[in-house]
Amino acid sequence: MLRAYESTGKKLSGKVGIKLTFETPGGPYLDPQLLSKVQKELNGTFIDSNGFSPPRDTTEGHLKVAKDHGFTAVGPVDILDAEGEMDLPVKNGKYLMYHRTGSHFANYDSLLSVVRFKAHHIRDYGGTLKNLTICLASTSGKAIIHSAGREEVSYSPADMEEFLESMADAAKAAVDAKDGRWVFINVLCGLQPDDDCTDAEPLPDIGILASLDPVAVDQAAVDFTFGAAPSEDVRKKWEEKHNVRLLQYAEERGIGKRHYRLEEIV
């Protein structure tokens, strides 16, 4: 993990937040020991925002999850919306005018995003762009993104395209808020598919992808995961089911590029 971070050539400075998710009790989560060396190098704080579902819908419950999953034993933990919220402006957004996160976000000078990449699981996919949007958002901010800006309190999902465009709006705001002060990491570790995608099988532990471009690092993770499809037709069906068009919308907003060059660290 530390070598992957260092390979980007970016040295994060000041007060560093390590943005990840502490995940759901009883489910898989990133082993915090993987992060121990990079946490020490950066003197970083593990940060996340509260969610809709218990126990992570309260700061107290969320902190307990972080402790139970071993994160507090590795480094300090901060729930960003424990003491209120703040709005990050969206420049030229299609649906959103702001991306709402926790007020503690203002306390961090630079950030490392770390994601346990998930493809065959949710209706889009779980990667870096989600970590910058739904996962960074406060509970109110999550409602805003899911509803394409129509709702600020409860979960009221918009149609898929509006939702993905809203995620791209929010990702733009998150990147702009700390412009040039992000590093993005996707961890591709073996996950059992739990959807109904035809021919989907568990992948082995592939490795760690690191980049200064959040779009490129997600595109590479998608390519590794869906590249295991037995045919191009099956791959297209997987990508249609999981709506990787978020990558296109993010690129259109100038957040990053879908084209990338892969370099192996040995």
Side-chain angles (χ1 to χ4, degrees), residues 14 29 62 72 117 137-138 146 157 168 174 186 198 205 216 244:
Y29 56 90
H62 205 169
T72 57
F117 186 83
S138 63
H146 276 292
N186 280 340
T198 304
D205 291 342
V244 295

Side-chain angles (χ1 to χ4, degrees), residues 28-246:
Y29 56 90
L30 191 66
D31 182 355
Q33 291 301 321
L34 272 176
L35 298 158
S36 60
K37 289 185 178 180
V38 75
Q39 185 278 327
K40 290 178 182 176
E41 174 71 19
L42 299 174
N43 192 26
T45 299
F46 298 128
I47 61 174
D48 197 8
S49 296
N50 288 320
F52 284 128
S53 304
R56 293 188 296 161
D57 58 338
T58 68
T59 297
E60 181 181 13
H62 205 169
L63 287 172
K64 185 177 186 305
V65 172
K67 180 179 180 180
D68 290 346
H69 286 176
F71 288 94
T72 57
V74 174
V77 167
D78 182 16
I79 304 303
L80 295 177
D81 51 340
E83 297 179 298
E85 299 168 311
M86 64 180 293
D87 290 341
L88 310 178
V90 176
K91 299 175 184 176
N92 302 314
K94 185 168 183 179
Y95 289 102
L96 305 188
M97 296 180 63
Y98 46 82
H99 176 19
R100 183 166 292 165
T101 184
S103 61
H104 290 185
F105 183 76
N107 298 337
Y108 296 92
D109 301 300
S110 53
L111 295 110
L112 173 65
S113 167
V114 183
V115 174
R116 189 173 189 262
F117 186 83
K118 298 178 283 293
H120 288 294
H121 299 272
I122 55 179
R123 65 174 185 164
D124 42 358
Y125 72 89
T128 289
L129 291 172
K130 184 181 179 186
N131 199 33
L132 297 176
T133 57
I134 294 296
C135 299
L136 181 63
S138 63
T139 50
S140 175
K142 289 174 173 61
I144 291 168
I145 296 171
H146 276 292
S147 67
R150 301 185 187 98
E151 174 62 58
E152 296 192 0
V153 179
S154 59
Y155 178 75
S156 180
D159 70 45
M160 177 57 75
E161 295 310 309
E162 290 180 333
F163 169 64
L164 295 176
E165 294 265 24
S166 297
M167 285 185 71
D169 285 346
K172 174 70 171 167
V175 170
D176 286 348
K178 308 289 182 181
D179 188 26
R181 292 176 283 161
W182 283 95
V183 173
F184 308 101
I185 289 178
N186 280 340
V187 180
L188 277 65
C189 48
L191 284 174
Q192 177 74 39
D194 59 4
D195 57 17
D196 58 358
C197 281
T198 304
D199 297 323
E201 296 181 356
L203 291 178
D205 291 342
I206 295 172
I208 298 170
L209 300 175
S211 179
L212 301 181
D213 183 328
V215 179
V217 78
D218 268 7
Q219 182 67 67
V222 164
D223 289 344
F224 268 110
T225 305
F226 293 154
S231 70
E232 187 61 25
D233 180 61
V234 170
R235 175 179 175 138
K236 287 179 179 178
K237 289 179 180 178
W238 287 358
E239 293 190 339
E240 288 172 2
K241 179 180 177 65
H242 293 289
N243 287 283
V244 295
R245 288 185 297 280
L246 172 59

